[in-house]
């Protein structure tokens, strides 16, 4: 399968509810090796600023999008994104690839439309986009960088207008893969081996166990992945688990919402003398997490349980609780761009209500003298500082523990916790509050 055809197929599946990374992974072996990067690039370019591409489609197409087939509409979105973002890809090749994909599905009647719209965008859109990019209006910045208007408006209420604009720009940027090295892996030796294979990577100045790549390589093809030596993980996520582990003083550890087990595996790797209990409500995520522990060679020290974290009882009173709470994921919109087009303002409020209940439960479970790490990958204060403030007001026994801010993208929350701003391709937006329970 050629790259453009694969991009169309994956983009269609994402519009039907799939996640881009999973859809690409399932199709990976069917795509011609030389076209895999192109397919992934087109998918993520199309999703990252999808709102802008739809705006340009309405601006330069005389036919209503309601009268188009889904395939034609998707081909136009991918084509527009490719024209604007792929600087070194020949326009005739892109258009011809999309036309052939449409033709192979028997929709010849839309070939002329696709040709006309894409050539018009190529000829006319550049000045308009330059004007939009220079605009001082927050709504124009949100449109240009592909951020839902309601989210930009909410950020303007949560912070200053310059901060909101900064967050809009950084949330629309392209992200790259960072890797966490497991204990016992020498970073310089691993980098040497990796670069000898013809690929690029360098040490992160932010974290001792992290390296950065200038791309998004397929994990199974990365040196050491199958052996559990490296794990794809954003540096912000790594920092949360590291900050938590530094405050742990031994005793039973509970990971209340473990997801697919990335932070669980990181904790098990960094704290080889501790036993970890990990919960998640999704059976599929638990199975993925169990496989992750096998890959990491730490399965003996992690006990997983599937169920509601508001109802499960720990096998032992936890001395430390990691609550990486379910959230809207707005800090990772650059990495998972399909998510931002599925989130609504109501979902932010719903997430915050659940987060408060989960943090209340954590406060009731942790032993006196123990600690709680509350984190999200959201940049909405309603899911972060306001959750922590509400729970601390109900639990005067909880006190905040300072977090060492080691990077210029980290700032003090208002008033609680630490915010990690997205601002580099390897650093997602995150929030972390460390809380101690008085004895």
């Amino acid at each position: 399968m050629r790259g453009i055809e694969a991009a169309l197929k994956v983009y269609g599946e994402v519009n039907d509810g799939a996640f881009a990374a999973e859809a690409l992974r399932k199709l990976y072996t069917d795509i011609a090796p030389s076209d895999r990067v192109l397919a992934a690039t087109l998918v993520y370019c199309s999703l990252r600023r999808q709102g802008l591409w739809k705006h340009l489609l309405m601006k330069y197409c005389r036919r209503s999008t309601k009268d188009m087939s889904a395939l034609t509409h998707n081909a136009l979105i991918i084509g527009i994104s490719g024209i604007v973002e792929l600087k070194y890809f020949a326009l005739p090749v892109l258009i011809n690839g999309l036309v052939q994909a449409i033709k192979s599905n028997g929709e010849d009647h839309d070939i002329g439309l696709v040709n006309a719209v894409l050539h018009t965008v190529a000829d006319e859109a550049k000045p308009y986009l330059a004007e939009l990019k220079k605009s001082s209006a927050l709504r124009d910045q949100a449109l240009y960088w592909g951020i839902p208007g309601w989210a930009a408006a909410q950020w303007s209420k949560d912070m200053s207008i310059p901060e909101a604009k900064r967050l809009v720009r950084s949330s629309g940027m392209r992200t790259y893969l960072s890797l966490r090295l497991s204990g016992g892996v020498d970073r310089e030796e691993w980098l040497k081996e990796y670069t000898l294979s013809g690929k690029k990577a360098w040490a992160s100045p932010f974290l001792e166990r992290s390296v950065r790549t200038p791309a998004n390589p397929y994990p199974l093809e990365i040196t050491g992945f199958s052996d559990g030596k490296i794990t794809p993980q954003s540096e912000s996520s790594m920092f949360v688990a590291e900050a938590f582990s530094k405050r742990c003083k031994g005793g039973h550890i509970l990971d209340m919402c473990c997801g697919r087990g990335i932070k669980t595996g990181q904790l098990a790797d960094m704290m080889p003398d501790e036993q970890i209990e990990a919960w998640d409500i999704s059976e599929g995520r638990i199975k993925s997490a169990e496989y992750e522990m096998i890959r990491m060679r730490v399965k003996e020290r992690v006990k997983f349980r599937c169920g509601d974290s508001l109802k499960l009882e720990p096998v032992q009173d936890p001395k430390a609780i990691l609550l990486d709470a379910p959230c809207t994921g707005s800090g990772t919109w650059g990495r998972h761009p399909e998510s931002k087009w599925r989130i609504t303002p109501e979902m932010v409020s719903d997430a915050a209500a659940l987060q408060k209940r989960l943090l209340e439960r954590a406060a009731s479970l942790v032993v006196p003298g123990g600690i709680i790490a509350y984190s999200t990958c959201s940049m909405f204060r309603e899911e972060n500082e306001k959750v922590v403030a509400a729970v601390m007001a109900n639990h005067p026994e909880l006190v905040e523990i300072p977090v060492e801010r080691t990077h210029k993208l980290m700032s003090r929350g208002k008033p609680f916790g630490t915010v990690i701003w997205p601002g580099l391709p390897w650093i997602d937006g995150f929030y972390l509050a460390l809380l101690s329970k008085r004895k």
Side-chain angles (χ1 to χ4, degrees):
M1 184 181 294
R2 305 306 301 178
I4 293 174
E5 180 188 357
L8 261 175
K9 181 176 176 59
V10 170
Y11 184 77
E13 290 180 2
V14 171
N15 283 340
D16 290 335
F19 290 99
E22 292 182 3
L24 278 165
R25 194 176 299 120
K26 289 178 181 177
L27 205 63
Y28 186 80
T29 56
D30 295 332
I31 306 173
S34 59
D35 276 14
R36 288 169 180 168
V37 172
L38 173 62
T41 300
L42 282 172
V43 168
Y44 280 100
C45 284
S46 301
L47 292 169
R48 192 170 293 113
R49 295 201 280 171
Q50 181 176 265
L52 177 60
W53 314 140
K54 290 185 175 181
H55 174 77
L56 293 178
L57 178 57
M58 293 176 64
K59 181 177 177 65
Y60 293 108
C61 180
R62 295 180 180 178
R63 188 196 297 183
S64 170
T65 55
K66 295 180 181 179
D67 299 330
M68 297 177 189
S69 69
L71 180 63
T72 297
H73 178 269
N74 294 348
L76 286 167
I77 294 296
I78 288 175
I80 292 170
S81 71
I83 288 168
V84 176
E85 296 219 353
L86 301 186
K87 307 300 182 185
Y88 305 105
F89 197 75
L91 178 63
V93 176
L94 176 63
I95 295 179
N96 182 62
L98 291 168
V99 165
Q100 291 302 317
I102 291 174
K103 188 182 293 186
S104 66
N105 278 271
E107 298 190 20
D108 300 48
H109 55 284
D110 282 339
I111 290 175
L113 173 69
V114 171
N115 262 305
V117 172
L118 295 184
H119 277 101
T120 301
V121 170
D123 293 339
E124 301 180 16
K126 190 173 182 179
Y128 174 71
L129 289 171
E131 183 180 336
L132 200 62
K133 185 177 182 180
K134 289 190 300 182
S135 173
S136 60
L138 179 60
R139 64 178 180 276
D140 289 341
Q141 287 290 299
L143 176 60
Y144 181 82
W145 291 107
I147 302 301
W150 68 264
Q154 184 58 54
W155 286 335
S156 72
K157 297 175 183 177
D158 287 348
M159 57 194 74
S160 68
I161 295 296
E163 286 177 323
K165 289 180 179 178
R166 168 191 169 193
L167 184 52
V168 162
R169 288 193 299 271
S170 58
S171 297
M173 72 179 180
R174 183 174 300 181
T175 60
Y176 295 129
L177 198 66
S178 55
L179 303 169
R180 186 191 82 234
L181 300 182
S182 298
V185 178
D186 184 278
R187 183 162 67 172
E188 294 306 315
E189 288 297 321
W190 185 90
L191 283 169
K192 182 178 180 181
E193 183 180 356
Y194 189 72
T195 52
L196 283 174
S197 68
K199 300 173 183 177
K200 295 181 180 179
W202 56 91
S204 166
F206 186 27
L207 296 165
E208 291 182 1
R209 291 193 180 191
S210 179
V211 298
R212 296 172 174 178
T213 74
N216 287 289
Y218 187 51
L220 289 176
E221 296 179 351
I222 302 174
T223 304
F225 176 80
S226 298
D227 299 331
K229 294 179 179 179
I230 64 96
T231 301
Q233 186 178 4
S234 81
E235 292 187 9
S236 309
S237 175
M238 293 183 217
F239 176 81
V240 167
E242 283 206 2
F244 173 67
S245 68
K246 288 176 181 177
R247 292 288 183 172
C248 291
K249 299 177 181 179
H252 192 62
I253 298 172
L254 173 62
D255 186 349
M256 275 185 71
C257 301
C258 68
R260 298 181 184 278
I262 301 302
K263 291 188 186 69
T264 317
Q266 183 182 1
L267 290 176
D269 180 57
M270 290 188 298
M271 307 172 72
D273 297 326
E274 308 301 338
Q275 293 293 317
I276 300 172
E277 182 177 353
W279 299 346
D280 200 273
I281 200 168
S282 165
E283 185 176 346
R285 288 195 290 267
I286 287 289
K287 288 181 178 179
S288 295
E290 288 174 335
Y291 173 78
E292 178 66 8
M293 299 311 105
I294 293 172
R295 187 187 68 84
M296 289 284 298
R297 278 55 169 179
V298 295
K299 67 174 183 176
E300 298 82 6
R301 293 186 287 105
V302 182
K303 178 179 177 60
F304 288 100
R305 296 173 66 194
C306 184
D308 188 344
S309 295
L310 295 170
K311 299 177 181 178
L312 288 173
E313 293 294 336
V315 296
Q316 184 179 334
D317 292 339
K319 185 72 179 293
I321 296 178
L322 172 62
L323 174 53
D324 191 34
C327 69
T328 57
S330 52
T332 63
W333 280 352
R335 197 169 304 281
H336 307 291
E338 66 272 33
S339 299
K340 60 185 164 185
W341 310 115
R342 300 171 181 175
I343 297 294
T344 65
E346 294 74 23
M347 293 169 73
V348 177
S349 298
D350 290 344
L354 174 60
Q355 290 154 357
K356 288 175 188 174
R357 295 175 67 197
L358 287 166
L359 187 52
E360 288 273 2
R361 183 82 203 287
S364 70
L365 290 176
V366 73
V367 301
I371 66 164
I372 301 168
Y374 173 79
S375 67
T376 75
C377 55
S378 173
M379 295 300 288
F380 293 117
R381 290 189 69 231
E382 187 173 357
E383 297 182 79
N384 298 333
E385 293 99 323
K386 291 184 179 180
V387 168
V388 173
V391 175
M392 289 185 72
N394 293 333
H395 292 270
E397 72 276 17
L398 295 180
V399 294
E400 186 179 8
I401 304 171
V403 174
E404 182 184 5
R405 294 191 288 277
T406 58
H407 197 282
K408 64 181 181 181
L409 291 174
M410 301 171 70
S411 65
R412 174 70 178 164
K414 301 176 182 178
F416 300 109
T418 296
V419 178
I420 305 176
W421 292 69
L424 291 171
W426 309 276
I427 298 179
D428 296 335
F430 256 81
Y431 174 82
L432 169 65
L434 287 178
L435 307 174
S436 175
K437 187 173 183 177
R438 290 191 182 100
K439 293 184 179 180

